[in-house]
């Protein structure tokens, strides 16, 4: 039976790790090439399907270098070819959609996203570089299964999230669950994996669903809700940015403590102390059975 196989292309949140203009304590470790830390590119996952086809879950601004770093995603036949057949977007944040511009050059491709995400893309003329003949945009309906990369089944469901930063002026900054942010439940060979890199809150019905997955890749943007304040780089809380914290009351460690599958934090902000091997926070999440994703981490179910 075919198995679900995925490669983390980028494990960091928007800005990457280290972030270009940041000298927070954790970025300084990366600038100094401290062996306790490893740089990470921006948020994306690749999933393998039938006949060597692959789908991207989110397309980050680092996509070109991520493809180069991942032999499975290299073109295999002349003169023009790519194993990448589909892209699925979980929200319209810059770190998840800007990579679409790397996928121009008339390559046949399907881009799947919920209606509010497709509307944000359609409103931005830069994405017109994706040629209409080769690239089709497909609306994802909640909880209606569809297939990517041939035989990987996907069910999307709305999660609490907020509009992208660049649309806050028009749409406000409150959380919503109108489909502006979705999580993806993938299945192949009887195994399921949930990918949820942006989740503002963990209501009960989501906890049940997340805990059932064989593998969960979850929003690990911030450890404490006030990581940015602690790091001296800003005042926005994790929740205000649309990201439930790892620690504290209502955080993912507490809410998902009864999870039975493999659990991995992705979308790590550069201020998150779990990026540092051996830190208190890293040891805390590991002691509770969580892993911290890194670029090129391979997940086979
Ligand atoms: C987020 O996940 O909060 C966004 O990617 C932030 C950003 O736009 O950089
Ligand atoms: Mn993001
Ligand atoms: Zn930093």
């Amino acid at each position: 039976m075919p198995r679900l196989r995925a490669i983390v292309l980028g494990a960091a949140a928007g800005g990457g790790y280290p972030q270009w203009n940041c000298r927070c304590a954790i970025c300084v470790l990366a600038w100094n090439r401290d062996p306790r830390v490893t740089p990470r590119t921006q948020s994306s996952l690749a999933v393998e399907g039938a006949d060597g086809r692959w789908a991207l879950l989110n397309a980050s601004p680092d996509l070109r270098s991520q493809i180069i770093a991942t032999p499975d995603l290299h073109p295999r036949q002349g003169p023009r070819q790519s194993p990448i057949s589909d892209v699925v977007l979980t929200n319209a944040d810059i770190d998840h959609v800007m990579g679409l511009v790397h996928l121009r050059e008339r390559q046949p491709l399907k881009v799947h996203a919920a209606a509010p995400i497709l509307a944000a893309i359609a409103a931005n003329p830069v994405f017109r570089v994706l040629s209409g003949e080769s690239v089709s945009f497909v609306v994802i309906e909640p909880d209606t299964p569809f297939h990517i990369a041939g035989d990987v089944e996907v069910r999307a469901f709305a999660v609490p999230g907020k509009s992208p930063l660049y649309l806050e002026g028009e749409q406000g900054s409150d959380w919503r669950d109108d489909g502006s942010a979705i999580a993806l439940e993938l299945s192949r060979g009887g195994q399921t994996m949930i990918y949820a890199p942006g989740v503002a809150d963990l209501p009960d019905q989501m906890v049940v669903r997340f805990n059932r997955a064989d593998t969960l890749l979850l929003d690990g943007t911030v450890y404490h809700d006030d990581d940015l304040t602690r790091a001296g780089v800003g005042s926005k809380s994790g929740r205000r940015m649309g990201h439930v914290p790892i620690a504290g009351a209502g955080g993912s460690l507490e809410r998902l403590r009864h999870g039975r599958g493999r659990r991995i934090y992705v979308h790590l902000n550069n201020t998150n102390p779990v990026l540092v091997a051996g830190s208190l926070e890293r040891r805390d999440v590991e002691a509770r059975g969580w892993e911290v994703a890194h670029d090129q981490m391979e997940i086979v179910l």
Side-chain angles (χ1 to χ4, degrees), residues 122-146:
N124 186 333
V126 78
F127 293 111
R128 289 184 205 151
V129 298
L130 296 170
S131 130
E133 290 156 44
S134 336
V135 180
S136 51
F137 290 89
V138 187
V139 181
I140 297 177
E141 304 291 350
D143 277 306
T144 307
F146 60 100

mmCIF file with all atom_site columns, all heavy atoms in Angstrom, residues 122-146:
data_model
loop_
_atom_site.group_PDB
_atom_site.id
_atom_site.type_symbol
_atom_site.label_atom_id
_atom_site.label_alt_id
_atom_site.label_comp_id
_atom_site.label_asym_id
_atom_site.label_entity_id
_atom_site.label_seq_id
_atom_site.pdbx_PDB_ins_code
_atom_site.Cartn_x
_atom_site.Cartn_y
_atom_site.Cartn_z
_atom_site.occupancy
_atom_site.B_iso_or_equiv
_atom_site.pdbx_formal_charge
_atom_site.auth_seq_id
_atom_site.auth_comp_id
_atom_site.auth_asym_id
_atom_site.auth_atom_id
_atom_site.pdbx_PDB_model_num
ATOM 1   N N   . ALA A 1 122 ? -6.220  36.912 -6.470  1.00 0.00 ? 122 ALA A N   1
ATOM 2   C CA  . ALA A 1 122 ? -6.771  37.521 -7.691  1.00 0.00 ? 122 ALA A CA  1
ATOM 3   C C   . ALA A 1 122 ? -6.687  39.046 -7.624  1.00 0.00 ? 122 ALA A C   1
ATOM 4   O O   . ALA A 1 122 ? -6.582  39.721 -8.651  1.00 0.00 ? 122 ALA A O   1
ATOM 5   C CB  . ALA A 1 122 ? -8.222  37.080 -7.877  1.00 0.00 ? 122 ALA A CB  1
ATOM 6   N N   . ALA A 1 123 ? -6.707  39.593 -6.404  1.00 0.00 ? 123 ALA A N   1
ATOM 7   C CA  . ALA A 1 123 ? -6.677  41.051 -6.251  1.00 0.00 ? 123 ALA A CA  1
ATOM 8   C C   . ALA A 1 123 ? -5.278  41.622 -6.429  1.00 0.00 ? 123 ALA A C   1
ATOM 9   O O   . ALA A 1 123 ? -5.099  42.836 -6.471  1.00 0.00 ? 123 ALA A O   1
ATOM 10  C CB  . ALA A 1 123 ? -7.215  41.428 -4.872  1.00 0.00 ? 123 ALA A CB  1
ATOM 11  N N   . ASN A 1 124 ? -4.273  40.751 -6.519  1.00 0.00 ? 124 ASN A N   1
ATOM 12  C CA  . ASN A 1 124 ? -2.891  41.236 -6.618  1.00 0.00 ? 124 ASN A CA  1
ATOM 13  C C   . ASN A 1 124 ? -2.337  40.947 -8.009  1.00 0.00 ? 124 ASN A C   1
ATOM 14  O O   . ASN A 1 124 ? -2.092  39.796 -8.359  1.00 0.00 ? 124 ASN A O   1
ATOM 15  C CB  . ASN A 1 124 ? -2.045  40.534 -5.550  1.00 0.00 ? 124 ASN A CB  1
ATOM 16  C CG  . ASN A 1 124 ? -0.634  41.104 -5.499  1.00 0.00 ? 124 ASN A CG  1
ATOM 17  O OD1 . ASN A 1 124 ? -0.118  41.612 -6.496  1.00 0.00 ? 124 ASN A OD1 1
ATOM 18  N ND2 . ASN A 1 124 ? -0.029  41.030 -4.339  1.00 0.00 ? 124 ASN A ND2 1
ATOM 19  N N   . PRO A 1 125 ? -2.128  42.004 -8.828  1.00 0.00 ? 125 PRO A N   1
ATOM 20  C CA  . PRO A 1 125 ? -1.750  41.775 -10.228 1.00 0.00 ? 125 PRO A CA  1
ATOM 21  C C   . PRO A 1 125 ? -0.425  41.042 -10.412 1.00 0.00 ? 125 PRO A C   1
ATOM 22  O O   . PRO A 1 125 ? -0.201  40.459 -11.475 1.00 0.00 ? 125 PRO A O   1
ATOM 23  C CB  . PRO A 1 125 ? -1.696  43.185 -10.826 1.00 0.00 ? 125 PRO A CB  1
ATOM 24  C CG  . PRO A 1 125 ? -1.748  44.136 -9.690  1.00 0.00 ? 125 PRO A CG  1
ATOM 25  C CD  . PRO A 1 125 ? -2.302  43.421 -8.501  1.00 0.00 ? 125 PRO A CD  1
ATOM 26  N N   . VAL A 1 126 ? 0.433   41.012 -9.401  1.00 0.00 ? 126 VAL A N   1
ATOM 27  C CA  . VAL A 1 126 ? 1.724   40.339 -9.596  1.00 0.00 ? 126 VAL A CA  1
ATOM 28  C C   . VAL A 1 126 ? 1.513   38.847 -9.897  1.00 0.00 ? 126 VAL A C   1
ATOM 29  O O   . VAL A 1 126 ? 2.290   38.225 -10.636 1.00 0.00 ? 126 VAL A O   1
ATOM 30  C CB  . VAL A 1 126 ? 2.661   40.571 -8.380  1.00 0.00 ? 126 VAL A CB  1
ATOM 31  C CG1 . VAL A 1 126 ? 2.306   39.689 -7.202  1.00 0.00 ? 126 VAL A CG1 1
ATOM 32  C CG2 . VAL A 1 126 ? 4.117   40.343 -8.759  1.00 0.00 ? 126 VAL A CG2 1
ATOM 33  N N   . PHE A 1 127 ? 0.428   38.276 -9.386  1.00 0.00 ? 127 PHE A N   1
ATOM 34  C CA  . PHE A 1 127 ? 0.182   36.844 -9.607  1.00 0.00 ? 127 PHE A CA  1
ATOM 35  C C   . PHE A 1 127 ? -0.344  36.542 -11.011 1.00 0.00 ? 127 PHE A C   1
ATOM 36  O O   . PHE A 1 127 ? -0.485  35.379 -11.378 1.00 0.00 ? 127 PHE A O   1
ATOM 37  C CB  . PHE A 1 127 ? -0.755  36.284 -8.534  1.00 0.00 ? 127 PHE A CB  1
ATOM 38  C CG  . PHE A 1 127 ? -0.133  36.285 -7.167  1.00 0.00 ? 127 PHE A CG  1
ATOM 39  C CD1 . PHE A 1 127 ? -0.597  37.134 -6.171  1.00 0.00 ? 127 PHE A CD1 1
ATOM 40  C CD2 . PHE A 1 127 ? 0.948   35.459 -6.882  1.00 0.00 ? 127 PHE A CD2 1
ATOM 41  C CE1 . PHE A 1 127 ? -0.008  37.160 -4.916  1.00 0.00 ? 127 PHE A CE1 1
ATOM 42  C CE2 . PHE A 1 127 ? 1.549   35.479 -5.632  1.00 0.00 ? 127 PHE A CE2 1
ATOM 43  C CZ  . PHE A 1 127 ? 1.070   36.342 -4.639  1.00 0.00 ? 127 PHE A CZ  1
ATOM 44  N N   . ARG A 1 128 ? -0.592  37.608 -11.795 1.00 0.00 ? 128 ARG A N   1
ATOM 45  C CA  . ARG A 1 128 ? -0.990  37.356 -13.189 1.00 0.00 ? 128 ARG A CA  1
ATOM 46  C C   . ARG A 1 128 ? 0.144   36.727 -13.996 1.00 0.00 ? 128 ARG A C   1
ATOM 47  O O   . ARG A 1 128 ? -0.075  36.256 -15.106 1.00 0.00 ? 128 ARG A O   1
ATOM 48  C CB  . ARG A 1 128 ? -1.444  38.663 -13.857 1.00 0.00 ? 128 ARG A CB  1
ATOM 49  C CG  . ARG A 1 128 ? -2.775  39.138 -13.309 1.00 0.00 ? 128 ARG A CG  1
ATOM 50  C CD  . ARG A 1 128 ? -3.248  40.386 -14.046 1.00 0.00 ? 128 ARG A CD  1
ATOM 51  N NE  . ARG A 1 128 ? -4.147  41.143 -13.193 1.00 0.00 ? 128 ARG A NE  1
ATOM 52  C CZ  . ARG A 1 128 ? -4.312  42.463 -13.238 1.00 0.00 ? 128 ARG A CZ  1
ATOM 53  N NH1 . ARG A 1 128 ? -3.634  43.198 -14.112 1.00 0.00 ? 128 ARG A NH1 1
ATOM 54  N NH2 . ARG A 1 128 ? -5.153  43.049 -12.432 1.00 0.00 ? 128 ARG A NH2 1
ATOM 55  N N   . VAL A 1 129 ? 1.369   36.723 -13.447 1.00 0.00 ? 129 VAL A N   1
ATOM 56  C CA  . VAL A 1 129 ? 2.467   36.054 -14.163 1.00 0.00 ? 129 VAL A CA  1
ATOM 57  C C   . VAL A 1 129 ? 2.206   34.561 -14.282 1.00 0.00 ? 129 VAL A C   1
ATOM 58  O O   . VAL A 1 129 ? 2.842   33.891 -15.095 1.00 0.00 ? 129 VAL A O   1
ATOM 59  C CB  . VAL A 1 129 ? 3.853   36.246 -13.508 1.00 0.00 ? 129 VAL A CB  1
ATOM 60  C CG1 . VAL A 1 129 ? 4.252   37.702 -13.486 1.00 0.00 ? 129 VAL A CG1 1
ATOM 61  C CG2 . VAL A 1 129 ? 3.904   35.636 -12.120 1.00 0.00 ? 129 VAL A CG2 1
ATOM 62  N N   . LEU A 1 130 ? 1.330   34.025 -13.452 1.00 0.00 ? 130 LEU A N   1
ATOM 63  C CA  . LEU A 1 130 ? 1.006   32.601 -13.587 1.00 0.00 ? 130 LEU A CA  1
ATOM 64  C C   . LEU A 1 130 ? 0.061   32.483 -14.776 1.00 0.00 ? 130 LEU A C   1
ATOM 65  O O   . LEU A 1 130 ? -1.079  32.908 -14.725 1.00 0.00 ? 130 LEU A O   1
ATOM 66  C CB  . LEU A 1 130 ? 0.356   32.084 -12.306 1.00 0.00 ? 130 LEU A CB  1
ATOM 67  C CG  . LEU A 1 130 ? 1.280   32.146 -11.080 1.00 0.00 ? 130 LEU A CG  1
ATOM 68  C CD1 . LEU A 1 130 ? 0.500   31.860 -9.817  1.00 0.00 ? 130 LEU A CD1 1
ATOM 69  C CD2 . LEU A 1 130 ? 2.437   31.177 -11.211 1.00 0.00 ? 130 LEU A CD2 1
ATOM 70  N N   . SER A 1 131 ? 0.576   31.912 -15.847 1.00 0.00 ? 131 SER A N   1
ATOM 71  C CA  . SER A 1 131 ? -0.155  31.939 -17.098 1.00 0.00 ? 131 SER A CA  1
ATOM 72  C C   . SER A 1 131 ? -1.491  31.223 -16.995 1.00 0.00 ? 131 SER A C   1
ATOM 73  O O   . SER A 1 131 ? -1.602  30.136 -16.422 1.00 0.00 ? 131 SER A O   1
ATOM 74  C CB  . SER A 1 131 ? 0.716   31.309 -18.189 1.00 0.00 ? 131 SER A CB  1
ATOM 75  O OG  . SER A 1 131 ? -0.014  30.342 -18.884 1.00 0.00 ? 131 SER A OG  1
ATOM 76  N N   . GLY A 1 132 ? -2.525  31.841 -17.537 1.00 0.00 ? 132 GLY A N   1
ATOM 77  C CA  . GLY A 1 132 ? -3.868  31.287 -17.486 1.00 0.00 ? 132 GLY A CA  1
ATOM 78  C C   . GLY A 1 132 ? -4.008  29.956 -18.198 1.00 0.00 ? 132 GLY A C   1
ATOM 79  O O   . GLY A 1 132 ? -4.845  29.147 -17.840 1.00 0.00 ? 132 GLY A O   1
ATOM 80  N N   . GLU A 1 133 ? -3.159  29.707 -19.217 1.00 0.00 ? 133 GLU A N   1
ATOM 81  C CA  . GLU A 1 133 ? -3.274  28.429 -19.939 1.00 0.00 ? 133 GLU A CA  1
ATOM 82  C C   . GLU A 1 133 ? -2.761  27.264 -19.091 1.00 0.00 ? 133 GLU A C   1
ATOM 83  O O   . GLU A 1 133 ? -3.267  26.159 -19.180 1.00 0.00 ? 133 GLU A O   1
ATOM 84  C CB  . GLU A 1 133 ? -2.411  28.439 -21.205 1.00 0.00 ? 133 GLU A CB  1
ATOM 85  C CG  . GLU A 1 133 ? -2.903  29.327 -22.296 1.00 0.00 ? 133 GLU A CG  1
ATOM 86  C CD  . GLU A 1 133 ? -1.748  29.722 -23.208 1.00 0.00 ? 133 GLU A CD  1
ATOM 87  O OE1 . GLU A 1 133 ? -0.934  28.850 -23.556 1.00 0.00 ? 133 GLU A OE1 1
ATOM 88  O OE2 . GLU A 1 133 ? -1.662  30.918 -23.530 1.00 0.00 ? 133 GLU A OE2 1
ATOM 89  N N   . SER A 1 134 ? -1.718  27.508 -18.310 1.00 0.00 ? 134 SER A N   1
ATOM 90  C CA  . SER A 1 134 ? -1.086  26.380 -17.622 1.00 0.00 ? 134 SER A CA  1
ATOM 91  C C   . SER A 1 134 ? -1.545  26.224 -16.184 1.00 0.00 ? 134 SER A C   1
ATOM 92  O O   . SER A 1 134 ? -1.562  25.112 -15.658 1.00 0.00 ? 134 SER A O   1
ATOM 93  C CB  . SER A 1 134 ? 0.436   26.547 -17.599 1.00 0.00 ? 134 SER A CB  1
ATOM 94  O OG  . SER A 1 134 ? 0.876   27.352 -18.631 1.00 0.00 ? 134 SER A OG  1
ATOM 95  N N   . VAL A 1 135 ? -1.865  27.325 -15.541 1.00 0.00 ? 135 VAL A N   1
ATOM 96  C CA  . VAL A 1 135 ? -2.139  27.265 -14.109 1.00 0.00 ? 135 VAL A CA  1
ATOM 97  C C   . VAL A 1 135 ? -3.632  27.408 -13.863 1.00 0.00 ? 135 VAL A C   1
ATOM 98  O O   . VAL A 1 135 ? -4.252  28.354 -14.331 1.00 0.00 ? 135 VAL A O   1
ATOM 99  C CB  . VAL A 1 135 ? -1.378  28.384 -13.357 1.00 0.00 ? 135 VAL A CB  1
ATOM 100 C CG1 . VAL A 1 135 ? -1.665  28.314 -11.858 1.00 0.00 ? 135 VAL A CG1 1
ATOM 101 C CG2 . VAL A 1 135 ? 0.116   28.282 -13.622 1.00 0.00 ? 135 VAL A CG2 1
ATOM 102 N N   . SER A 1 136 ? -4.204  26.436 -13.163 1.00 0.00 ? 136 SER A N   1
ATOM 103 C CA  . SER A 1 136 ? -5.618  26.597 -12.822 1.00 0.00 ? 136 SER A CA  1
ATOM 104 C C   . SER A 1 136 ? -5.765  26.767 -11.320 1.00 0.00 ? 136 SER A C   1
ATOM 105 O O   . SER A 1 136 ? -5.059  26.153 -10.522 1.00 0.00 ? 136 SER A O   1
ATOM 106 C CB  . SER A 1 136 ? -6.453  25.425 -13.334 1.00 0.00 ? 136 SER A CB  1
ATOM 107 O OG  . SER A 1 136 ? -5.869  24.219 -12.934 1.00 0.00 ? 136 SER A OG  1
ATOM 108 N N   . PHE A 1 137 ? -6.672  27.656 -10.953 1.00 0.00 ? 137 PHE A N   1
ATOM 109 C CA  . PHE A 1 137 ? -6.959  27.918 -9.545  1.00 0.00 ? 137 PHE A CA  1
ATOM 110 C C   . PHE A 1 137 ? -8.250  27.184 -9.196  1.00 0.00 ? 137 PHE A C   1
ATOM 111 O O   . PHE A 1 137 ? -9.262  27.339 -9.883  1.00 0.00 ? 137 PHE A O   1
ATOM 112 C CB  . PHE A 1 137 ? -7.098  29.423 -9.305  1.00 0.00 ? 137 PHE A CB  1
ATOM 113 C CG  . PHE A 1 137 ? -5.779  30.151 -9.423  1.00 0.00 ? 137 PHE A CG  1
ATOM 114 C CD1 . PHE A 1 137 ? -5.346  30.653 -10.646 1.00 0.00 ? 137 PHE A CD1 1
ATOM 115 C CD2 . PHE A 1 137 ? -4.959  30.307 -8.319  1.00 0.00 ? 137 PHE A CD2 1
ATOM 116 C CE1 . PHE A 1 137 ? -4.122  31.305 -10.756 1.00 0.00 ? 137 PHE A CE1 1
ATOM 117 C CE2 . PHE A 1 137 ? -3.734  30.958 -8.418  1.00 0.00 ? 137 PHE A CE2 1
ATOM 118 C CZ  . PHE A 1 137 ? -3.318  31.456 -9.638  1.00 0.00 ? 137 PHE A CZ  1
ATOM 119 N N   . VAL A 1 138 ? -8.206  26.378 -8.168  1.00 0.00 ? 138 VAL A N   1
ATOM 120 C CA  . VAL A 1 138 ? -9.336  25.518 -7.826  1.00 0.00 ? 138 VAL A CA  1
ATOM 121 C C   . VAL A 1 138 ? -9.812  25.873 -6.419  1.00 0.00 ? 138 VAL A C   1
ATOM 122 O O   . VAL A 1 138 ? -9.012  25.913 -5.481  1.00 0.00 ? 138 VAL A O   1
ATOM 123 C CB  . VAL A 1 138 ? -8.909  24.028 -7.853  1.00 0.00 ? 138 VAL A CB  1
ATOM 124 C CG1 . VAL A 1 138 ? -10.118 23.124 -7.678  1.00 0.00 ? 138 VAL A CG1 1
ATOM 125 C CG2 . VAL A 1 138 ? -8.146  23.696 -9.124  1.00 0.00 ? 138 VAL A CG2 1
ATOM 126 N N   . VAL A 1 139 ? -11.115 26.133 -6.288  1.00 0.00 ? 139 VAL A N   1
ATOM 127 C CA  . VAL A 1 139 ? -11.657 26.502 -4.969  1.00 0.00 ? 139 VAL A CA  1
ATOM 128 C C   . VAL A 1 139 ? -11.788 25.249 -4.099  1.00 0.00 ? 139 VAL A C   1
ATOM 129 O O   . VAL A 1 139 ? -12.349 24.238 -4.533  1.00 0.00 ? 139 VAL A O   1
ATOM 130 C CB  . VAL A 1 139 ? -13.054 27.145 -5.109  1.00 0.00 ? 139 VAL A CB  1
ATOM 131 C CG1 . VAL A 1 139 ? -13.591 27.546 -3.724  1.00 0.00 ? 139 VAL A CG1 1
ATOM 132 C CG2 . VAL A 1 139 ? -12.998 28.360 -6.019  1.00 0.00 ? 139 VAL A CG2 1
ATOM 133 N N   . ILE A 1 140 ? -11.289 25.333 -2.890  1.00 0.00 ? 140 ILE A N   1
ATOM 134 C CA  . ILE A 1 140 ? -11.461 24.249 -1.921  1.00 0.00 ? 140 ILE A CA  1
ATOM 135 C C   . ILE A 1 140 ? -12.755 24.487 -1.141  1.00 0.00 ? 140 ILE A C   1
ATOM 136 O O   . ILE A 1 140 ? -12.949 25.561 -0.582  1.00 0.00 ? 140 ILE A O   1
ATOM 137 C CB  . ILE A 1 140 ? -10.289 24.219 -0.909  1.00 0.00 ? 140 ILE A CB  1
ATOM 138 C CG1 . ILE A 1 140 ? -8.973  23.936 -1.624  1.00 0.00 ? 140 ILE A CG1 1
ATOM 139 C CG2 . ILE A 1 140 ? -10.553 23.207 0.188   1.00 0.00 ? 140 ILE A CG2 1
ATOM 140 C CD1 . ILE A 1 140 ? -7.770  23.956 -0.677  1.00 0.00 ? 140 ILE A CD1 1
ATOM 141 N N   . GLU A 1 141 ? -13.602 23.479 -1.127  1.00 0.00 ? 141 GLU A N   1
ATOM 142 C CA  . GLU A 1 141 ? -14.813 23.548 -0.295  1.00 0.00 ? 141 GLU A CA  1
ATOM 143 C C   . GLU A 1 141 ? -14.510 22.791 0.998   1.00 0.00 ? 141 GLU A C   1
ATOM 144 O O   . GLU A 1 141 ? -13.947 21.704 0.970   1.00 0.00 ? 141 GLU A O   1
ATOM 145 C CB  . GLU A 1 141 ? -15.991 22.859 -1.005  1.00 0.00 ? 141 GLU A CB  1
ATOM 146 C CG  . GLU A 1 141 ? -16.312 23.392 -2.390  1.00 0.00 ? 141 GLU A CG  1
ATOM 147 C CD  . GLU A 1 141 ? -16.878 24.807 -2.380  1.00 0.00 ? 141 GLU A CD  1
ATOM 148 O OE1 . GLU A 1 141 ? -17.211 25.311 -1.276  1.00 0.00 ? 141 GLU A OE1 1
ATOM 149 O OE2 . GLU A 1 141 ? -16.979 25.409 -3.470  1.00 0.00 ? 141 GLU A OE2 1
ATOM 150 N N   . PRO A 1 142 ? -14.903 23.376 2.139   1.00 0.00 ? 142 PRO A N   1
ATOM 151 C CA  . PRO A 1 142 ? -14.600 22.731 3.418   1.00 0.00 ? 142 PRO A CA  1
ATOM 152 C C   . PRO A 1 142 ? -15.152 21.299 3.486   1.00 0.00 ? 142 PRO A C   1
ATOM 153 O O   . PRO A 1 142 ? -16.273 21.041 3.060   1.00 0.00 ? 142 PRO A O   1
ATOM 154 C CB  . PRO A 1 142 ? -15.301 23.619 4.455   1.00 0.00 ? 142 PRO A CB  1
ATOM 155 C CG  . PRO A 1 142 ? -15.736 24.845 3.746   1.00 0.00 ? 142 PRO A CG  1
ATOM 156 C CD  . PRO A 1 142 ? -15.626 24.635 2.280   1.00 0.00 ? 142 PRO A CD  1
ATOM 157 N N   . ASP A 1 143 ? -14.306 20.403 3.994   1.00 0.00 ? 143 ASP A N   1
ATOM 158 C CA  . ASP A 1 143 ? -14.687 19.010 4.231   1.00 0.00 ? 143 ASP A CA  1
ATOM 159 C C   . ASP A 1 143 ? -15.162 18.242 3.009   1.00 0.00 ? 143 ASP A C   1
ATOM 160 O O   . ASP A 1 143 ? -15.825 17.218 3.130   1.00 0.00 ? 143 ASP A O   1
ATOM 161 C CB  . ASP A 1 143 ? -15.714 18.918 5.374   1.00 0.00 ? 143 ASP A CB  1
ATOM 162 C CG  . ASP A 1 143 ? -15.000 18.927 6.723   1.00 0.00 ? 143 ASP A CG  1
ATOM 163 O OD1 . ASP A 1 143 ? -14.107 18.082 6.913   1.00 0.00 ? 143 ASP A OD1 1
ATOM 164 O OD2 . ASP A 1 143 ? -15.306 19.804 7.550   1.00 0.00 ? 143 ASP A OD2 1
ATOM 165 N N   . THR A 1 144 ? -14.811 18.740 1.830   1.00 0.00 ? 144 THR A N   1
ATOM 166 C CA  . THR A 1 144 ? -15.107 18.016 0.597   1.00 0.00 ? 144 THR A CA  1
ATOM 167 C C   . THR A 1 144 ? -13.790 17.465 0.062   1.00 0.00 ? 144 THR A C   1
ATOM 168 O O   . THR A 1 144 ? -12.906 18.231 -0.284  1.00 0.00 ? 144 THR A O   1
ATOM 169 C CB  . THR A 1 144 ? -15.722 18.971 -0.442  1.00 0.00 ? 144 THR A CB  1
ATOM 170 O OG1 . THR A 1 144 ? -16.836 19.624 0.171   1.00 0.00 ? 144 THR A OG1 1
ATOM 171 C CG2 . THR A 1 144 ? -16.162 18.234 -1.690  1.00 0.00 ? 144 THR A CG2 1
ATOM 172 N N   . PRO A 1 145 ? -13.626 16.135 0.059   1.00 0.00 ? 145 PRO A N   1
ATOM 173 C CA  . PRO A 1 145 ? -12.317 15.594 -0.300  1.00 0.00 ? 145 PRO A CA  1
ATOM 174 C C   . PRO A 1 145 ? -11.924 15.876 -1.752  1.00 0.00 ? 145 PRO A C   1
ATOM 175 O O   . PRO A 1 145 ? -12.783 15.914 -2.629  1.00 0.00 ? 145 PRO A O   1
ATOM 176 C CB  . PRO A 1 145 ? -12.468 14.084 -0.076  1.00 0.00 ? 145 PRO A CB  1
ATOM 177 C CG  . PRO A 1 145 ? -13.858 13.831 0.344   1.00 0.00 ? 145 PRO A CG  1
ATOM 178 C CD  . PRO A 1 145 ? -14.592 15.121 0.454   1.00 0.00 ? 145 PRO A CD  1
ATOM 179 N N   . PHE A 1 146 ? -10.632 16.114 -1.968  1.00 0.00 ? 146 PHE A N   1
ATOM 180 C CA  . PHE A 1 146 ? -10.090 16.223 -3.323  1.00 0.00 ? 146 PHE A CA  1
ATOM 181 C C   . PHE A 1 146 ? -8.707  15.578 -3.301  1.00 0.00 ? 146 PHE A C   1
ATOM 182 O O   . PHE A 1 146 ? -8.202  15.219 -2.233  1.00 0.00 ? 146 PHE A O   1
ATOM 183 C CB  . PHE A 1 146 ? -10.040 17.692 -3.789  1.00 0.00 ? 146 PHE A CB  1
ATOM 184 C CG  . PHE A 1 146 ? -9.184  18.604 -2.946  1.00 0.00 ? 146 PHE A CG  1
ATOM 185 C CD1 . PHE A 1 146 ? -7.888  18.954 -3.332  1.00 0.00 ? 146 PHE A CD1 1
ATOM 186 C CD2 . PHE A 1 146 ? -9.670  19.128 -1.752  1.00 0.00 ? 146 PHE A CD2 1
ATOM 187 C CE1 . PHE A 1 146 ? -7.102  19.797 -2.552  1.00 0.00 ? 146 PHE A CE1 1
ATOM 188 C CE2 . PHE A 1 146 ? -8.886  19.978 -0.957  1.00 0.00 ? 146 PHE A CE2 1
ATOM 189 C CZ  . PHE A 1 146 ? -7.605  20.305 -1.368  1.00 0.00 ? 146 PHE A CZ  1
#
